[in-house]
Structures are given as structure tokens and as C-alpha cells.
Amino acid sequence: MNSRRPWVVGVSGASGTPYAAAVLRGLLAAGESVDLVVSRASRLTLLDETGIAFRDAHWQDDLRQWLSRGADGKPDNFDVDVTDVRHWAAGDLAAGPSSGSYPVKGMLIVPASTACVAGVALGLSKDLLQRAASVTLKERRALVVAVRETPLNGQTLKHLVTLDEAGAVVLPASPAFYAGATHIQDLVDFVAGRVLDAAGVPHRLYRRWEGELGGGSGGD
């Protein structure tokens, strides 16, 4: 009997593909299985931000190349085993995560665009990413929505309230600076770490606040 219970990770078209990469690395480092859904719009963003074309027919090679890059764009910063990742095409509405009977732990949308937020809040299910999120909510599973847009208009704020009331965790991609960040990767890892915190997945991506002023800067 297959006991695999993955986290579904949805990547929408908002800027912020390094956030998604850091979350994926964190899940795999924690020994978690992943079902990956990369939206059509996010492939354009990924190409623009990294130069990587994510192709369904070569997704393992493309994913490995993507996850090896740091937030500064330099290749081969990380060595990642993608063996326990399963990829589902965004247009495959017959995929496993489209059904509540498919066993998953929950879903993380990183980054989440306002269009994605609207689609999930309204239950549109226009692609697998939105459908999987709707299933996650109806099954009362964990859903973390890392929205990465600014500024936010009133309609988007209403959609975010709708998601909160439905049980999702709305987590803006807002880096903090108290952890002593010295590189862009540190800021990315902070957001990724907060996403994993919300999902209850252990990690060591950032230094936690311990009540000591100046602890992150190394000052006296």
C-alpha cells in the first residue's frame, strides 16, 4: 500500500520564484514528499527571473536546474534530490490533487498572485492550481497562501479575508531583518521559513527571535 502523503506546492505567476524554490528545498530537506503544480503564467515569470524554461516533458531536469540556483541567480548553489517530487501539468484537471480522495497533507501556494487569490477565493477552479486549492479548503486541510503583490486593492483584500475565513493562512511575502540577513538569500529563506512554519514543517532556514536586541546584527 502506498503511504505517500505529499504537500502540494502551487507556483502562480507572481514575481517571486526564489520563494518557491526555497520552500521546495525546505520541504525536501525535511523529508517531505511534494506534488508540484506550476501554472502557465508562472512559467513566464520563471523564464524571466531565472532564464529557465520549465517544460512538462523535461520537468525533472528543469526543476533540478531551478532549485540549484540561489536567489542571486548563480547556478549550482544547492544540490537537491528531486526524486520525491511528482509533477502535475497545470491543465490536467484529472490529476490526483483535483480530488479530495487523493491523500495529501495540505497545499502551499508560493508565490500567490492576486489573480490566483481571486480564483481560489471565488472557487473558479480554472486550472489545477486553483482546483487543488479549492479541494484543500473543502477537505479542511492546511492551505498557506504566500501572496506577493503590492499594493493591494480593496477587492484583493476582500478575497484574502474570504480565504482567511475559509481556514487558509494568508502569509504575505514580507521579509524581516531581525534575523541578521546579509544576503538576498537570507531574506528569501526567511519568507520560505515562515511558510514552512505555517505548515508545521521543521526547518533551519532562519534565525528565530529570542528576545535579545541586536542578536541578529552581532552588535553589543
Side-chain angles (χ1 to χ4, degrees), residues 5 12 22 31 45 48 51 57 69 88-89 91 96 124 129-130 145 147 154 157 162 177 185 187 190 194 205 219:
R5 289 187 66 231
S12 82
T45 306
D48 184 56
R69 288 176 180 257
W88 300 96
L124 297 183
L129 194 160
Q130 292 184 12
V145 180
V147 60
L157 292 170
T162 297
F177 295 84
Q185 189 66 55
L187 298 176
F190 179 87
R194 295 299 287 152
L205 287 175

Side-chain angles (χ1 to χ4, degrees), residues 27 52 69 72 79 96 101 123 136 144-146 148 175 188 204 209:
L27 288 170
I52 297 170
R69 288 176 180 257
D72 59 3
D79 183 15
S101 66
T136 301
V144 182
V145 180
R148 209 243 48 87
V188 168
R204 302 178 70 178
W209 176 251

Side-chain angles (χ1 to χ4, degrees), residues 135-189:
V135 167
T136 301
L137 288 175
K138 80 179 183 68
E139 296 294 328
R140 302 296 191 267
R141 295 167 180 157
L143 175 63
V144 182
V145 180
V147 60
R148 209 243 48 87
E149 296 275 4
T150 190
L152 299 174
N153 63 29
Q155 198 60 49
T156 298
L157 292 170
K158 292 176 183 177
H159 291 151
L160 292 173
V161 169
T162 297
L163 292 179
D164 176 78
E165 291 175 342
V169 174
V170 175
L171 195 152
S174 301
F177 295 84
Y178 62 77
T182 57
H183 302 284
I184 186 173
Q185 189 66 55
D186 297 327
L187 298 176
V188 168
D189 284 347

Side-chain angles (χ1 to χ4, degrees), residues 4-9 27-28 31-35 84-86 105:
R4 184 177 184 271
R5 289 187 66 231
W7 284 95
V8 179
V9 176
L27 288 170
L28 295 173
E32 299 287 346
S33 301
V34 173
D35 275 22
D84 209 5
V85 178
R86 184 172 185 179
K105 292 183 177 180

Side-chain angles (χ1 to χ4, degrees), residues 191-211:
V191 172
R194 295 299 287 152
V195 171
L196 296 177
D197 286 345
V201 176
H203 66 87
R204 302 178 70 178
L205 287 175
Y206 68 88
R207 187 188 70 86
R208 297 183 182 277
W209 176 251
E210 297 178 350

Side-chain angles (χ1 to χ4, degrees), residues 11-12 14-22 42 45-47 49-50 66 110-111:
V11 186
S12 82
S15 177
T17 55
Y19 292 129
S42 70
T45 306
L46 182 63
L47 181 62
E49 293 184 346
T50 69
W66 176 23
V110 188

